[in-house]
Amino acid sequence: MRTPTGTLLLACVLSGALLLSGCGGGTTGHGDDAGTREDLLLQPAAAPGPDPFTDSTALTAATPSPAPRTPSGTGRTVTARSGPRSLSGGTPGLYAGAERTSSCDIGRQIGHLTRDRARGRVFARIAGVPPASVPDYVRALTPVVLRADTRVTGHGFRADRLTRHRSVLQAGTAVLVDDRGVPRVRCACGNPLRPPTAPRGTPVTRGVPWPDYRPGEVINVTPAPRRVADFTIIDLTGRIWIERRTGHDVRHDRALPPPLRSTARPESPRASPPPVRRPAVPPEPEPEPEPGTASSWDAPADTSLHGTDPDPETMTPPADGTAPPPEGPAGPEDSGGPD
């Protein structure tokens, strides 16, 4: 029997299509090549999320008030098209925490990673350290709490394989940051973190948004330009500022005075007018006070002859609007009295 050429060509095309549909299936978001999928996973502060690396070692479940929102000034709602803001990891007040209280159990976190060698090796690969250096790496991280919804690249562990997903961590999430202020470990699941990658197009959001979630107010944490020796964090419960050394030991925390905010607006040197030089005028002699009149001490000081301004307290009139009683004329000099 002779098979028509067109029928044979159509059969080949259908076979190839079926083969591709069975082997493709799209990107699932798992494996070392994951992350190409444009999904954005919303992770609440206390939820472990998918594919936890370890059990939760977070020591705080309270969600602090988020960082102050940046007003737009136009009255319009900020959308996701504006893009996340980028803040340096050394920005004072970027993170929160309680004085001399860690937000993550460092000992338990190290124990989870060292007991399971497979997880420890994958964790070390993401962290960029040898597996034997994982305990020292975790101890060098600083426990803090996020004050704003933050974009990260999270990594999970499932069936001896690494998973990766773009995430937004809710404000109040306990994390460990490196010496540049970049989040590296999420304490609720032990997942290693990396900085976020730029999405291609508009990502598809997965998960249930929390009440105050605003896509346009999510931040990206960028590495500080130099190593941070002390982080300036804020205790939102006690309303105090804290200086915390880099590393896991929070026993050296110390309270700081609140930062000063200057209300004076600096002027541009170009806008300042040139100084006006006035000719010096010799002072006129002061007349002698007459009886029943105010003394020369009650008159305002001539500021043009002195280098300082008068004291504002001495220049304020009394509350009842009356002037102080004038002094009488100077009496005859008493040679026997004290000088």
Side-chain angles (χ1 to χ4, degrees):
M1 298 178 59
R2 298 180 57 185
T3 304
T5 305
T7 304
L8 181 61
L9 180 61
L10 179 60
C12 294
V13 171
L14 291 176
S15 300
L18 292 175
L19 181 62
L20 290 177
S21 63
C23 298
T27 305
T28 61
H30 301 282
D32 291 343
D33 294 333
T36 58
R37 184 175 178 178
E38 299 301 329
D39 285 353
L40 191 62
L41 178 63
L42 302 182
Q43 294 191 264
D51 308 335
F53 236 87
T54 65
D55 295 336
S56 176
T57 59
L59 298 178
T60 176
T63 302
S65 301
R69 307 295 187 182
T70 303
S72 61
T74 59
R76 295 177 299 179
T77 303
V78 180
T79 62
R81 295 180 181 180
S82 59
R85 295 173 296 162
S86 295
L87 294 177
S88 172
T91 303
L94 177 63
Y95 298 116
E99 186 177 6
R100 299 183 181 181
T101 302
S102 178
S103 57
C104 184
D105 192 330
I106 304 296
R108 288 181 55 201
Q109 187 65 55
I110 295 175
H112 289 321
L113 295 174
T114 53
R115 281 193 298 268
D116 193 327
R117 295 185 178 181
R119 296 177 186 268
R121 285 194 300 267
V122 176
F123 183 94
R125 180 156 59 92
I126 298 300
V129 297
S133 301
V134 168
D136 295 335
Y137 170 80
V138 176
R139 292 190 189 99
L141 302 177
T142 306
V144 292
V145 177
L146 299 179
R147 287 194 64 204
D149 299 342
T150 306
R151 284 276 304 270
V152 296
T153 300
H155 300 79
F157 190 83
R158 185 178 66 177
D160 295 334
R161 295 187 61 188
L162 176 69
T163 64
R164 183 164 64 243
H165 41 265
R166 297 178 177 90
S167 303
V168 175
L169 304 182
Q170 183 187 13
T173 301
V175 295
L176 302 177
V177 300
D178 60 12
D179 56 4
R180 299 298 180 96
V182 179
R184 292 299 182 182
V185 178
R186 183 170 181 257
C187 302
C189 55
N191 291 4
L193 305 176
R194 280 186 177 178
T197 57
R200 296 189 299 269
T202 303
V204 179
T205 303
R206 295 191 295 124
V208 180
W210 38 92
D212 57 349
Y213 171 68
R214 301 293 184 272
E217 296 174 352
V218 177
I219 68 169
N220 290 340
V221 178
T222 59
R226 60 184 59 88
R227 179 183 179 274
V228 180
D230 301 283
F231 290 97
T232 301
I233 63 178
I234 184 172
D235 185 350
L236 296 172
T237 303
R239 296 294 177 181
I240 59 175
W241 292 82
I242 302 171
E243 182 182 77
R244 174 168 294 180
R245 293 184 185 179
T246 302
H248 73 285
D249 194 353
V250 298
R251 294 175 297 177
H252 303 287
D253 287 356
R254 67 184 188 94
L256 295 176
L260 299 177
R261 295 183 179 181
S262 176
T263 58
R265 181 177 299 176
E267 297 181 359
S268 174
R270 298 181 180 179
S272 302
V276 179
R277 297 184 179 180
R278 299 179 180 179
V281 179
E284 298 180 359
E286 298 181 359
E288 293 291 333
E290 297 180 1
T293 61
S295 173
S296 61
W297 297 103
D298 298 326
D302 188 1
T303 58
S304 62
L305 302 179
H306 301 278
T308 58
D309 296 332
D311 188 0
E313 295 183 359
T314 59
M315 296 299 294
T316 304
D320 56 358
T322 60
E327 298 180 0
E333 182 179 0
D334 187 3
S335 59
D339 188 357

